[in-house]
Amino acid sequence: FGETQKGELVDYADHPLAQYSAISVTNYNEEGMRISIDSYDDDMELRSKSVYAFEGKKLSSIKEYDGDGELDYESNLTYDSKTGKLIEQVNQSYSKYGPYLIHYKYSYDKDGTLHGETYREDGTAEKWSVQETMKKGKLQKRVQCNEQGEPTIITLFDDEERIISVMNKTTDVTYVY
């Protein structure tokens, strides 16, 4: 309930915090924004830490560190200074198991549909789109579609624009908050 609790972390397969044979602790700020995730392995040693930075309510960066505190991944987001809309995102993995660099560029058409282009290190590019539904000026639904216009990820929001659920049609996984 938002209060710090003292105690030992215990690895139970049916524990509500257990995820992929690990325990993850997610921390939020007073506005309900996720600011960090600490993940522990089966021996309850810190496996990774993710830190989220914001400019106001806009996510500006994500940095993920391995158990030794080394930067493993980062994502930096850029917004248009006039419209406040996301226009660019650069994701870079420094992992020895799979380093990569992916660059996203975003544009918006007159009806508000977001169009994205994904550029990979190998020179390949992929186009996709995101359609958003607003209610009284607030985001209610976001549908990400592939190049063929088929929905791949559907995200629902409450009246305060907080995420209620995320459904990934590609992996058939749904998260409900």
Side-chain angles (χ1 to χ4, degrees), residues 39 46-51 63-73 94:
S39 296
L46 185 64
R47 180 179 66 191
S48 66
K49 181 176 187 79
S50 299
V51 179
K63 293 186 188 250
E64 295 180 6
Y65 301 89
D66 63 19
D68 296 325
E70 296 292 321
L71 183 62
D72 196 41
Y73 167 86
Y94 305 102

Side-chain angles (χ1 to χ4, degrees), residues 33-95:
M33 308 296 277
R34 178 175 54 196
I35 57 171
S36 67
I37 299 174
D38 300 324
S39 296
Y40 299 87
D41 64 18
D42 290 338
D43 297 322
M44 307 320 297
E45 297 291 326
L46 185 64
R47 180 179 66 191
S48 66
K49 181 176 187 79
S50 299
V51 179
Y52 301 81
F54 296 88
E55 291 177 12
K57 285 192 169 188
K58 294 184 187 292
L59 180 65
S60 60
S61 72
I62 303 168
K63 293 186 188 250
E64 295 180 6
Y65 301 89
D66 63 19
D68 296 325
E70 296 292 321
L71 183 62
D72 196 41
Y73 167 86
E74 69 179 317
S75 179
N76 293 293
L77 298 92
T78 305
Y79 299 87
D80 183 280
S81 60
K82 293 178 184 173
T83 64
K85 292 184 177 184
L86 181 63
I87 56 172
E88 189 173 33
Q89 180 176 354
V90 178
N91 296 348
Q92 179 140 19
S93 169
Y94 305 102
S95 170

Side-chain angles (χ1 to χ4, degrees), residues 14 25 34 65 70 74 86-87 106 108 114 152 170-171:
D14 61 349
V25 178
R34 178 175 54 196
Y65 301 89
E70 296 292 321
E74 69 179 317
L86 181 63
I87 56 172
Y106 308 105
Y108 303 84
L114 164 69
T152 55
T170 305
T171 62

